Amino acid sequence: MKKMILSIAIVAAGLAYFYIFFIDGTYRTPVQAIEKARKLDEPIEVVQEQKKGNGEVVFYLRYIHQHSPSPVISVDYTSRDLMGWRWVTGGGHTLMESDEAMAEQERLDAQWSVQWVPGEDETPFPLLFGAVVNPDIASVTVTDAKTATTETVEMIDAGKDLRIWYLFVDESLGTDFTLHALSAEGDVLSTQQLNGKPLHTGTMAREDILK
């Protein structure tokens, strides 16, 4: 009897260990992993899922308040193992409100955003990303201070008058970048600077990073 009780206890301990370290925190899809990690009550609005390495980068919109019209522009990385998907890291922000009382340049500067998501082991980050709500902005370029190399970001349609842009960055370049919002003719409409600030520029009303 004692041997049977001991065997049962060992099996139970093994199952508990397996659950804690291999099943708990894993989910059937990347979206489920994100919703559980962020403890979201409402489903997220997926804009794009992009496979990277052994996981996925998910660009999506979520809403902090039920009646808020302004979404949180978000990106997260989830990894996959034998048991399912796990949330790893990511972040998000909202755009500043703009109104007619602002000067023209101030209003334009508030109609696109920039956020830096730091790199972590076994993730495709660092990442620069943000949103554009001004249709006059046709593209965004990023120039790093270290090599003076300029790249044009990728753009994703995310709904009426909203686009998400992103650029995966080599961590060796640091966090010193100049970003330009350009018109269809290539004219610079707005400029933002990221000078060693690991998270964001001043155009964002709210940002959050989960670790």
Side-chain angles (χ1 to χ4, degrees):
M1 178 64 72
K2 289 183 178 180
K3 287 184 178 181
M4 182 180 295
I5 294 174
L6 180 61
S7 297
I8 292 172
I10 291 173
V11 170
L15 290 173
Y17 177 88
F18 182 80
Y19 175 80
I20 292 171
F21 290 98
F22 294 99
I23 297 180
D24 188 31
T26 64
Y27 300 92
R28 291 188 300 106
T29 67
V31 170
Q32 279 188 342
I34 291 168
E35 291 174 341
K36 295 297 183 181
R38 291 191 177 276
K39 299 179 173 62
L40 300 178
D41 295 327
E42 298 294 327
I44 66 176
E45 184 179 329
V46 176
V47 177
Q48 185 181 93
E49 295 181 68
Q50 189 176 129
K51 291 184 178 180
K52 286 285 184 179
N54 194 38
E56 277 195 5
V57 176
V58 182
F59 296 91
Y60 64 97
L61 306 177
R62 60 189 175 92
Y63 295 84
I64 303 172
H65 305 295
Q66 186 176 2
H67 302 293
S68 173
S70 301
V72 180
I73 298 95
S74 306
V75 61
D76 282 332
Y77 180 70
T78 59
S79 65
R80 187 173 188 175
D81 57 30
L82 291 175
M83 297 297 110
W85 291 90
R86 293 178 183 272
W87 178 87
V88 180
T89 188
H93 63 271
T94 57
L95 284 160
M96 282 183 61
E97 296 292 334
S98 62
D99 56 55
E100 296 301 322
M102 290 179 169
E104 183 179 354
Q105 188 61 53
E106 183 184 9
R107 186 168 63 252
L108 181 55
D109 292 342
Q111 291 174 336
W112 69 296
S113 62
V114 181
Q115 181 174 345
W116 171 265
V117 180
E120 293 191 15
D121 291 342
E122 299 182 0
T123 74
F125 299 157
L127 177 78
L128 281 166
F129 87 109
V132 175
V133 294
N134 187 323
D136 292 334
I137 297 175
S139 62
V140 173
T141 62
V142 177
T143 303
D144 72 89
K146 190 170 184 178
T147 68
T149 300
T150 298
E151 295 189 60
T152 301
V153 306
E154 297 287 338
M155 287 271 195
I156 315 168
D157 288 330
K160 184 181 179 181
D161 298 327
L162 176 63
R163 287 165 289 159
I164 295 175
W165 67 264
Y166 68 92
L167 180 68
F168 292 99
V169 179
D170 189 326
E171 195 161 19
S172 66
L173 296 177
T175 58
D176 194 347
F177 300 93
T178 301
L179 301 100
H180 295 301
L182 307 178
S183 69
E185 293 75 28
D187 298 324
V188 176
L189 301 177
S190 176
T191 299
Q192 298 200 43
Q193 197 75 32
L194 197 69
N195 290 322
K197 298 176 183 179
L199 297 180
H200 62 82
T201 67
T203 61
M204 284 171 241
R206 181 185 186 277
E207 173 186 290
D208 84 276
I209 292 282
L210 285 178
K211 292 294 183 185

